[in-house]
Amino acid sequence: MTLTKGVARPGTVGAAVGFLLGLLVLGPSLAPGYTLHYDLVFVPDLPLSARTLGTDGSVPRAVPNDLVVALLGLLLPGWLVQKLVLLGAFVIGGAGVGRLARSLPGAAAAAALWSWNPWVGERLGIGHWGYLVGAALLPWVLQGAARTDERRGRALLVASLTAAALGGSTPGVLAALVAGVTVLVAPRPPARRIRDIVLVGGVALLANAAWWWPFLRAASRSADAGGATAFASGADTPFGIVGSLLLGGGLWNDRTWFVERTTWPLATAALLAVALVLVLALRRREWWQGPLTRGATVAGCVGLLLAALAALPGGRGLVETVVVHVPGGGLLRDGQKFVVLWVLLLAVATAVVVDRAVERGLPRLPLVLAALWPVATLPSLAWGHAGAWGSVDYPPEVRTVSDRLAASGEAVAVFPWSTYRRHEWNDDRVVLDSWNRLLPQRVVSDDRLALRERTVAGEDPAAGRVTRSLADDGDTLAVLRSLGVRWVVVQLDQPAPPGTVPDLSGTQSSTVGDLAVHDLGPVTTSQPPPDGLRALGLLGTGLAVVGSIALALRSRRG
């Protein structure tokens, strides 16, 4: 697709729409301070540690995105990094999807759908900021993969694949899937197709090495097979699981669902809009001839299939088998994340439909409706999930205790034994425990995920030993000492039902605000040193970053 000439370009219009809608979506969470809910956890000074580098032996769930945040934190306050990352995702995604259009109205409509949809809202609602950043790169990946016959197209593909990988495992996989499908179905000679597939595979492996290489070396037990059921897509509309996925939603966590999607009028209006856009776009022959539209179609259908797999006959058993027995198969258990590829297809179709309408000189009203229907059918996404989000400061005692423990460098365990917290100073929002990010040393904490119907087991063997000791009324302090833990932090503002806090009587302790710090005595068990070989993955990603920058500069000179 070519760009419109003039003062404003589609990419610029898309960026502007993404920026404005990002302001409206994020709302109070853009105020100074930290927005903390579910997995959206940023801290004042994220340390550059073995954990952020992916060399501590744990499962690299936040590699290398935490490293990127830590590096940005060397220049900017942590709260400002958070705001720039969140709002920047809307701008970058809007600019990328805007470039898919030939007209300015097409760019505006595509950017509106891309910035304001259930997938974005539900992933923000669960705090998956890395997914949002990775999704922002998908339109750029699609463009690069569709233009590999050009030097600049190949440079764009390499740069966008590498940038998406910096968001973590899921963004890296999503970007590789879009790129791989697009070059595979593009109408090109076999030799060029093979070259493009090798290019995508090589760049994806190198750029994502920061997480897949340490994962292969991680000391982790098998994943919980029940995760396939717990994380299967849900029905957040009256149209069931598949219908919900067709509309871009269906996340497994019902606490993130939007009430208007559960009602017939708005859900039906959204379904009719999606069907109309697809029919108008796909019925034309030229849709199936271009590498970009053909790639978007196949990638969208693959994403929809993966998202719905656990709901299909025999699909759940297949997902369980992959999760348990295939290395890295855990990436498949939260299948709903793949529906973003379907949303990308809807954005491309929207751009094409509006472009055709502009070229035919149709009245403005249909064009306005095309841009506004995503917002009109999902109004409660506005202003931080209808005011549910906000910005707060960490209490002084958190900084005091974290500075004191960081200076010691010895391992810490955190109680009550629970993965998520509700703090009064955070307006009782549910948030992932932040001590793993507040401290540079090893932190032993609960990594299970308690859901309404079941608890999904964690993957940290040390945490599993503590869990079993608490459940069996064992000598938990002896277990902690054997793990090399000296300090125990008890958060006094949290509920502590039986079996969540060990007997700490007889230990030296001090209390700072709502935090009690217990000293178990000098550590006699030495901690294993960081695994230097795991850093090879980070080196691979670094080489991909340097190479993509060099290739981009070379293509511009050319």
Side-chain angles (χ1 to χ4, degrees):
M1 293 185 181
T2 59
L3 298 179
T4 300
K5 302 296 183 181
V7 176
R9 292 178 177 266
T12 304
V13 171
V17 171
F19 176 75
L20 293 175
L21 292 184
L23 290 177
L24 188 56
V25 168
L26 298 172
S29 61
L30 290 176
Y34 295 88
T35 299
L36 306 172
H37 67 268
Y38 284 97
D39 294 355
L40 184 60
V41 179
F42 281 66
V43 295
D45 297 297
L46 183 62
L48 284 169
S49 63
R51 178 183 174 277
T52 54
L53 294 174
T55 62
D56 65 340
S58 64
V59 178
R61 294 193 179 279
V63 176
N65 45 334
D66 268 359
L67 175 60
V68 175
V69 172
L71 292 174
L72 291 174
L74 297 175
L75 305 174
L76 301 170
W79 67 266
L80 185 56
V81 171
Q82 183 188 46
K83 314 308 177 187
L84 293 176
V85 166
L86 292 176
L87 188 57
F90 282 88
V91 176
I92 293 171
V97 80
R99 286 167 53 94
L100 301 176
R102 297 188 299 269
S103 67
L104 302 186
L113 186 144
W114 186 249
S115 304
W116 198 292
N117 61 74
W119 190 89
V120 167
E122 291 178 355
R123 288 297 165 176
L124 272 176
I126 204 172
H128 286 174
W129 65 270
Y131 288 21
L132 190 69
V133 173
L137 276 302
L138 295 183
W140 300 89
V141 173
L142 177 63
Q143 294 173 73
R147 296 169 48 200
T148 54
D149 54 342
E150 308 171 21
R151 178 184 293 180
R152 288 193 175 185
R154 292 191 295 273
L156 177 61
L157 175 62
V158 172
S160 55
L161 275 175
T162 302
L166 297 180
S169 56
T170 289
V173 169
L174 291 172
L177 186 57
V178 169
V181 166
T182 302
V183 300
L184 186 63
V185 303
R188 292 174 182 145
R192 184 179 298 175
R193 182 178 291 115
I194 292 174
R195 180 205 67 181
D196 293 344
I197 292 174
V198 171
L199 174 65
V200 169
V203 173
L205 283 174
L206 191 63
N208 288 280
W211 63 264
W212 67 256
W213 172 253
F215 172 82
L216 295 179
R217 301 182 58 83
S220 172
R221 54 194 177 95
S222 299
D224 187 350
T229 299
F231 297 112
S233 300
D236 63 345
T237 70
F239 307 120
I241 293 177
V242 175
S244 300
L245 295 172
L246 284 169
L247 296 180
L251 185 66
W252 50 269
N253 190 329
D254 57 5
R255 294 179 178 86
T256 67
W257 293 354
F258 296 90
V259 63
E260 58 265 39
R261 283 177 58 83
T262 64
T263 62
W264 282 98
L266 288 181
T268 302
L271 184 61
L272 291 175
V274 167
L276 180 62
V277 166
L278 290 176
V279 169
L280 292 176
L282 275 63
R283 68 188 180 95
R284 298 290 294 271
R285 179 177 299 179
E286 61 263 27
W287 173 273
W288 303 99
Q289 295 174 344
L292 190 149
T293 48
R294 185 185 292 188
T297 304
V298 178
C301 292
V302 169
L304 188 63
L305 175 63
L306 292 175
L309 185 58
L312 300 178
R316 187 155 301 184
L318 176 61
V319 174
E320 289 180 357
T321 300
V322 172
V323 167
V324 174
H325 299 292
V326 177
L331 288 169
L332 193 61
R333 67 180 187 178
D334 180 5
Q336 192 271 349
K337 61 193 173 191
F338 292 102
V339 88
V340 70
L341 305 184
W342 177 259
V343 178
L344 179 61
L345 168 61
L346 296 181
V348 175
T350 298
V352 169
V353 170
V354 175
D355 285 342
R356 291 175 185 166
V358 172
E359 291 162 358
R360 293 180 178 180
L362 294 182
R364 292 185 178 180
L365 180 59
L367 305 180
V368 173
L369 292 176
L372 293 183
W373 78 261
V375 179
T377 57
L378 196 65
S380 61
L381 176 57
W383 209 244
H385 271 225
W389 305 340
S391 297
V392 298
D393 292 321
Y394 282 91
E397 60 260 29
V398 173
R399 298 297 302 270
T400 299
V401 172
S402 62
D403 290 345
R404 170 186 163 189
L405 295 179
S408 76
E410 294 167 297
V412 178
V414 183
F415 296 91
W417 198 244
S418 177
T419 308
Y420 289 88
R421 311 292 185 190
R422 286 182 182 268
H423 299 287
E424 184 178 355
W425 52 265
N426 191 34
D427 294 332
D428 287 326
R429 300 181 185 94
V430 178
V431 63
L432 184 69
D433 191 276
S434 59
W435 284 95
N436 274 297
R437 287 178 168 83
L438 287 166
L439 297 174
Q441 66 260 50
R442 184 187 184 195
V443 176
V444 179
S445 60
D446 192 2
D447 66 340
R448 299 170 298 165
L449 182 60
L451 304 175
R452 291 184 178 180
E453 297 181 355
R454 62 171 294 128
T455 297
V456 180
E459 296 179 301
D460 181 8
R465 289 181 58 188
V466 176
T467 298
R468 291 188 293 271
S469 176
L470 290 170
D472 299 336
D473 292 328
D475 189 351
T476 305
L477 295 191
V479 172
L480 294 174
R481 290 189 179 99
S482 70
L483 295 172
V485 173
R486 175 168 186 175
W487 306 103
V488 171
V489 175
V490 179
Q491 303 182 62
L492 303 177
D493 62 338
Q494 300 298 302
T500 60
V501 179
D503 181 7
L504 294 164
S505 59
T507 62
Q508 295 183 7
S509 64
S510 60
T511 301
V512 183
D514 289 326
L515 299 174
V517 181
H518 297 261
D519 185 356
L520 304 187
V523 175
T524 57
T525 303
S526 60
Q527 294 296 315
D531 186 352
L533 289 177
R534 288 168 61 104
L536 292 177
L538 192 62
L539 177 61
T541 299
L543 291 175
V545 171
V546 173
S548 64
I549 293 174
L551 186 59
L553 294 175
R554 180 182 176 187
S555 68
R556 289 184 65 86
R557 286 196 298 268

